[in-house]
């Protein structure tokens, strides 16, 4: 590896060492020429195994270390392009899909990519049955039948589905992180107690991506190193060093000093404060991530429609968007992000304390109290405090339970929360990605553990479940859009979810940085095109 002069006297191990020690605040007068230094809040990472990674920060790593059969073009958000498969087709019945593999592609180990690797990877993800497995299980795949539903022969992978879904539904799902192709030989060589290499992949990579994971320390950072011969073209920058810096003020300071190249957690105050600095710039993007409140219906009070409606009117959506969230969020009140098929752009709810008080009185629940789980990042804390204030004005007491992202997610996935302030990003560019999570729940029992958001909140969507199932089968685009619009209208009026915002990215970066694509609707960043 060719090192920048600033690192030459230390050798290539210096960046790995940064993750093993407490790095000083001012690490470099400026970052090394061959190294991209990014600051972000990455405490949400649970695993870097593509079969398990399901959080925004973890999927950013997966997107740069692995590829799937079908990929998204980072320069054209939402556009499907060939990945490790050069072509694909579906039979007349609409239930058998064939994918012909590209030739000449290798994993970071040097092993050639085969159809067997592709089939194994999809089978493995289903058998691991971690949180993102539901994306693949939607096609009727189970641990018991996936070896028959997903097969390899020669240079071709064959996928069978249980129903004739709209073909784009499958193709879109195959762009998700859980459908990434892993190196079977390397992964199985690191298997422990039948885990198919899961523990090893928490801290290592075995993919075809532009980068290799060299080091990862939870709540501290990770290091990616470029590999030569990437099939999309070698990465422009040799190393990507991610530093866990959740404090926006610290990110701004380090960006302006030149200690980092990219800051991903800046507040509107920070953005405004940097406006006169010619050494930095701000990139505006719209993402697919939405922010919402949800209420666990194991608490019977949250089945009371009057109370739920009161809370919808006890939030200062526009006030937050115009002040501390300015530029970072836009008011949005339905679970499909703007730009998606069937998305709703209207915002029927606004702050109305008197209306909220009247609805609480009608609910018969006195005095209502909410215990709200909140991740300890600056934007979420400010949102939570605003909601605590306006809920209080309406007569709803709010206690904030503050913790790290991974801790909060663990409670949420186990249905142990009372209420929670969360975000959600699409797993693939198809409306079913959010519709299935928010408005489908076939089994509401504690043992089901489906991973869907409706299940996490013990919410039985009733007829919305069947309506969502019908929408994903509909091949007529206009009709499908109207079906999703109707589902969302009913959902926001009756469910224990309050969708508040859609994210607007404001990324701070040094003036020399170019070609950073944040991922748009898929919320996965692409590092390999960045230059500086």
């Amino acid at each position: 590896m060719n090192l920048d002069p600033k690192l030459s006297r230390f050798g290539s191990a210096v960046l790995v060492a940064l993750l093993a020690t407490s790095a000083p605040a001012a690490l470099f007068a400026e970052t090394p020429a061959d190294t991209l230094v990014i600051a972000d809040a990455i405490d949400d990472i649970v695993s870097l195994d593509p079969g398990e990674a399901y959080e925004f920060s973890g999927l950013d790593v997966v997107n740069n270390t692995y590829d799937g059969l079908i990929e998204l073009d980072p320069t054209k958000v939402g556009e499907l392009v060939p990945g490790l498969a050069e072509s694909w087709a579906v039979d007349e019945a609409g239930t058998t899909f064939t994918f012909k593999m590209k030739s000449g592609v290798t994993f970071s180990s040097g092993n050639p990519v085969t159809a067997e690797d592709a089939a194994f990877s999809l089978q493995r993800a289903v058998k691991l049955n971690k949180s993102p497995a539901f994306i693949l299980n939607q096609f009727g795949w189970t641990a018991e039948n996936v070896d028959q539903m997903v097969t390899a022969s020669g240079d071709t992978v064959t996928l069978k589905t249980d129903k004739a879904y709209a073909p784009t539904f499958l193709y879109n799902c195959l762009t998700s992180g859980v459908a990434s192709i892993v190196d079977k030989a390397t992964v199985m060589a690191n298997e422990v107690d039948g885990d198919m290499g899961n523990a090893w992949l928490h801290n290592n990579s075995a993919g075809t991506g532009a980068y290799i994971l060299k080091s990862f320390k939870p709540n501290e950072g990770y290091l990616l190193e470029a590999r030569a011969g990437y099939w999309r073209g070698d990465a422009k920058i040799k190393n990507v060093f991610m530093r866990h810096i959740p404090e926006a003020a610290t990110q701004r300071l380090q960006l302006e000093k030149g200690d980092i190249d990219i800051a991903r957690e800046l507040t509107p105050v920070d953005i405004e404060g940097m406006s006169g600095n010619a050494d930095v710039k701000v990139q505006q993007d719209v993402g697919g991530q939405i922010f919402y409140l949800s209420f666990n219906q194991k608490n019977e009070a949250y089945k009371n429609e009057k109370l739920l409606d009161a809370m919808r009117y006890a939030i200062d959506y526009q006030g937050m968007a115009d002040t501390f969230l300015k530029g970072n969020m836009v008011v949005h009140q339905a679970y499909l992000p703007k730009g998606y098929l069937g998305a709703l752009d209207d915002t029927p709810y606004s702050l109305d304390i008197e209306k909220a008080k009247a609805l609480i009185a009608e609910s018969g629940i006195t005095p209502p109290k909410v215990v709200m789980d909140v991740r300890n990042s600056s934007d979420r804390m400010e949102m939570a405090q605003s909601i605590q204030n306006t809920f209080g004005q309406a007569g709803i007491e709010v206690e904030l339970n503050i913790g790290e992202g991974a801790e909060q997610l663990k409670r949420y996935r186990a249905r142990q929360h009372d209420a929670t302030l969360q975000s959600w990003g699409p797993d693939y560019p198809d409306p079913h990605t959010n519709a299935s999570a928010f408005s489908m729940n076939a089994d509401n029992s504690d043992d089901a553990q489906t991973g869907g958001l409706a299940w996490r909140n013990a919410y039985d969507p009733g007829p919305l479940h069947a309506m969502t199932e019908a929408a994903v089968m509909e091949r007529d685009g206009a009709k499908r859009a109207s079906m999703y619009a109707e589902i969302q209208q009913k959902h926001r009026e009756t469910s224990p979810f309050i969708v508040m915002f859609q994210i607007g990215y404001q990324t701070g970066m040094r003036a020399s940085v170019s070609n950073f694509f944040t991922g748009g609707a898929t919320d996965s960043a692409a590092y390999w095109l960045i230059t500086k």
Side-chain angles (χ1 to χ4, degrees):
M1 180 174 68
N2 294 321
L3 291 175
D4 182 271
K6 294 181 178 62
L7 298 182
S8 59
R9 70 187 179 93
F10 296 106
S12 62
V14 66
L15 291 176
V16 176
L18 296 178
L19 296 179
T21 61
S22 296
L27 195 57
F28 308 113
E30 61 182 45
T31 61
D34 69 348
T35 301
L36 184 76
V37 183
I38 307 174
D40 201 355
I42 61 167
D43 59 329
D44 58 333
I45 293 178
V46 174
S47 170
L48 296 177
D49 181 341
E52 184 174 10
Y54 196 42
E55 294 69 42
F56 299 114
S57 301
L59 288 172
D60 279 348
V61 177
V62 169
N63 194 47
N64 288 278
T65 52
Y66 296 89
D67 299 298
L69 293 171
I70 301 176
E71 281 292 324
L72 292 167
D73 184 343
T75 69
K76 301 174 183 176
V77 175
E79 183 171 323
L80 298 174
V81 295
L84 299 180
E86 66 178 25
S87 61
W88 51 86
V90 58
D91 70 351
E92 290 186 10
T95 57
T96 300
F97 298 77
T98 52
F99 297 81
K100 184 179 180 182
M101 302 296 293
K102 274 190 175 80
S103 61
V105 181
T106 61
F107 291 105
S108 56
S109 66
N111 293 332
V113 178
T114 67
E116 183 181 354
D117 289 305
F120 165 79
S121 300
L122 297 174
Q123 294 165 356
R124 175 182 180 273
V126 171
K127 292 174 183 177
L128 281 177
N129 198 30
K130 301 296 185 179
S131 291
F134 82 92
I135 297 171
L136 302 178
N137 295 343
Q138 296 174 113
F139 301 101
W141 301 350
T142 66
E144 292 72 30
N145 72 14
V146 71
D147 288 347
Q148 289 74 50
M149 301 289 276
V150 177
T151 58
S153 178
D155 64 356
T156 301
V157 182
T158 300
L159 310 182
K160 294 182 179 180
T161 61
D162 60 338
K163 298 176 184 176
Y165 301 101
T168 51
F169 175 46
L170 174 65
Y171 303 152
N172 289 330
C173 286
L174 291 177
T175 68
S176 63
V178 72
S180 299
I181 307 307
V182 303
D183 183 343
K184 178 180 180 180
T186 299
V187 168
M188 294 307 289
N190 290 280
E191 182 180 38
V192 177
D193 297 328
D195 73 344
M196 293 182 283
N198 175 247
W200 184 79
L201 284 177
H202 277 216
N203 301 286
N204 296 275
S205 62
T208 58
Y211 288 95
I212 302 168
L213 177 65
K214 299 297 290 185
S215 182
F216 167 60
K217 291 193 73 175
N219 300 325
E220 292 188 32
Y222 60 76
L223 173 66
L224 305 180
E225 182 180 273
R227 57 176 293 236
Y230 181 45
W231 63 273
R232 281 172 148 175
D234 289 354
K236 308 300 183 185
I237 296 179
K238 290 292 184 181
N239 309 297
V240 176
F241 178 36
M242 173 65 74
R243 300 179 62 192
H244 173 59
I245 304 177
E247 302 85 7
T250 305
Q251 288 195 19
R252 175 188 169 186
L253 175 64
Q254 302 230 345
L255 181 66
E256 293 195 288
K257 288 171 64 179
D259 292 335
I260 62 175
D261 296 303
I262 295 175
R264 300 204 66 188
E265 293 287 332
L266 299 178
T267 67
V269 173
D270 297 311
I271 298 295
E272 185 176 352
M274 297 191 310
S275 60
N277 188 341
D279 294 330
V280 299
K281 61 184 179 181
V282 177
Q283 177 175 293
Q284 303 278 352
D285 296 299
V286 176
Q289 189 178 356
I290 60 172
F291 283 74
Y292 66 92
L293 288 175
S294 67
F295 304 88
N296 190 342
Q297 290 195 326
K298 284 188 172 183
N299 182 339
E300 290 293 322
Y302 298 139
K303 295 181 180 179
N304 187 303
E305 291 189 6
K306 296 293 186 181
L307 177 61
L308 291 174
D309 224 22
M311 292 190 287
R312 295 183 187 107
Y313 285 104
I315 298 172
D316 191 6
Y317 308 91
Q318 200 61 53
M320 287 189 274
D322 288 343
T323 54
F324 60 85
L325 296 178
K326 187 175 182 180
N328 284 349
M329 304 278 175
V330 295
V331 177
H332 188 70
Q333 295 177 348
Y335 61 63
L336 287 182
K338 291 179 182 178
Y340 268 61
L341 183 73
L344 298 177
D345 293 334
D346 63 322
T347 53
Y349 301 105
S350 59
L351 181 65
D352 189 334
I353 295 298
E354 294 308 312
K355 186 167 186 173
K357 286 181 177 179
L359 287 163
I360 290 170
E362 292 177 35
S363 77
I365 298 175
T366 53
K369 179 178 179 179
V370 173
V371 180
M372 186 185 299
D373 286 5
V374 185
R375 176 181 168 185
N376 59 348
S377 63
S378 58
D379 57 346
R380 299 190 194 212
M381 287 297 300
E382 288 182 297
M383 277 190 270
Q385 289 162 1
S386 173
I387 294 165
Q388 183 182 44
N389 176 38
T390 53
F391 270 34
Q393 292 177 43
I396 304 170
E397 180 186 351
V398 177
E399 175 186 336
L400 301 182
N401 179 35
I402 302 164
E404 291 187 347
E407 170 195 334
Q408 298 283 358
L409 283 168
K410 185 176 181 181
R411 282 172 48 78
Y412 190 31
R413 289 173 174 170
R415 308 211 290 190
Q416 294 173 348
H417 66 294
D418 180 60
T420 185
L421 171 57
Q422 290 287 343
S423 62
W424 183 261
D427 297 294
Y428 45 89
D430 186 275
H432 195 64
T433 183
N434 282 13
S436 60
F438 283 90
S439 55
M440 291 185 70
N441 186 10
D443 184 349
N444 202 28
S445 68
D446 285 341
D447 294 333
Q449 297 184 348
T450 63
L453 301 184
W455 179 87
R456 290 185 195 179
N457 290 281
Y459 164 56
D460 180 355
L464 295 185
H465 180 97
M467 292 171 68
T468 306
E469 283 187 318
V472 76
M473 306 297 292
E474 179 54 56
R475 297 195 176 202
D476 182 278
K479 185 175 180 181
R480 193 173 183 221
S482 67
M483 293 169 76
Y484 283 116
E486 181 183 1
I487 292 165
Q488 288 176 96
Q489 287 169 345
K490 293 180 182 295
H491 183 271
R492 71 181 175 191
E493 294 170 359
T494 60
S495 78
F497 293 91
I498 303 177
V499 179
M500 301 180 292
F501 304 107
Q502 182 173 346
I503 197 167
Y505 293 127
Q506 292 191 109
T507 303
M509 58 185 70
R510 298 293 292 179
S512 60
V513 175
S514 300
N515 299 321
F516 177 41
F517 298 96
T518 60
T522 57
D523 292 311
S524 293
Y527 301 145
W528 67 90
L529 298 173
I530 298 175
T531 60
K532 68 172 188 173

